[in-house]
Amino acid sequence: MARQTEPSANNALGNLLQAMMGRSTVRSENTQAIAGHPGLKPDILITAAGRSPVVIEAEVMPAASVEQEAKDRLGLETTVDGRIIEAVIALRYPESLRQSDDLHADLKEASLSYCVFTEESKDTVTRFPESGWLDCSVEDLAAKWCAEPSVHGGKKRPSNAKLVI
């Protein structure tokens, strides 16, 4: 069996998401994506005209540092369109992907787990859910990003609105 790495899984996920999100641009494992931080490499950066960028920070389970890495991306500016990152998805790949012979096929079938961080203000980061992780497929992940109001036109969610999951 093949021994897959996290960057390989990120590239495969980026390719799958790009195919599902035709109006968006999905970049994976790219340097020079964050203004003022040429060496900082978001695992996946999703951009689209008139929408706030979203970063996916992903790690293979147990994914000990994925939440901190996700939070560290909030408030940064992308070089692509100069927009500020207001939402980051912390994503955990199952350990079984390390042994995958076909990452694209196995990712389509995998149960991924995630949480979402948003920056409500300079000093307030919100995690959804507040604790634990949500499970999803790659298709669910793409659909949920497309439905999230905070990525439409760079507008923040109203304070009384809930994150769409």
Side-chain angles (χ1 to χ4, degrees), residues 1-4 96-106:
M1 289 194 141
R3 180 76 177 156
Q4 301 293 345
S96 61
L97 285 183
R98 289 195 189 275
Q99 304 305 321
S100 174
D101 289 323
D102 184 347
L103 272 174
H104 284 86
D106 291 342

Side-chain angles (χ1 to χ4, degrees), residues 127-147:
R127 184 189 193 276
F128 185 85
E130 288 183 21
S131 64
W133 295 81
L134 302 169
D135 293 324
C136 71
S137 67
V138 171
E139 286 181 357
D140 290 342
L141 188 65
K144 289 171 184 176
W145 179 79
C146 290

Side-chain angles (χ1 to χ4, degrees), residues 11 14 18 25-30 33 42-47 80:
N11 287 326
Q18 183 63 73
T25 301
V26 180
R27 294 172 183 83
S28 57
E29 295 294 325
N30 283 352
D43 291 339
I44 297 172
L45 173 63
I46 304 169
T47 58
V80 176

Side-chain angles (χ1 to χ4, degrees), residues 43-126:
D43 291 339
I44 297 172
L45 173 63
I46 304 169
T47 58
R51 292 182 147 199
S52 294
V54 172
V55 168
I56 299 174
E57 284 299 323
E59 289 183 16
V60 178
M61 289 292 290
S65 63
V66 73
E67 289 187 73
Q68 187 59 53
E69 287 179 17
K71 288 188 276 189
D72 290 346
R73 304 304 185 254
L74 288 169
L76 298 177
E77 179 184 331
T78 65
T79 57
V80 176
D81 56 13
R83 289 182 175 267
I84 302 299
I85 298 167
E86 297 175 359
V88 181
I89 299 168
L91 181 73
R92 300 185 309 181
Y93 295 121
E95 176 69 29
S96 61
L97 285 183
R98 289 195 189 275
Q99 304 305 321
S100 174
D101 289 323
D102 184 347
L103 272 174
H104 284 86
D106 291 342
L107 269 171
K108 283 182 181 180
E109 300 299 319
S111 177
L112 308 173
S113 57
Y114 74 99
C115 65
V116 179
F117 293 95
T118 55
E119 188 173 58
E120 302 301 324
S121 70
K122 196 96 171 144
D123 299 323
T124 306
V125 173
T126 301

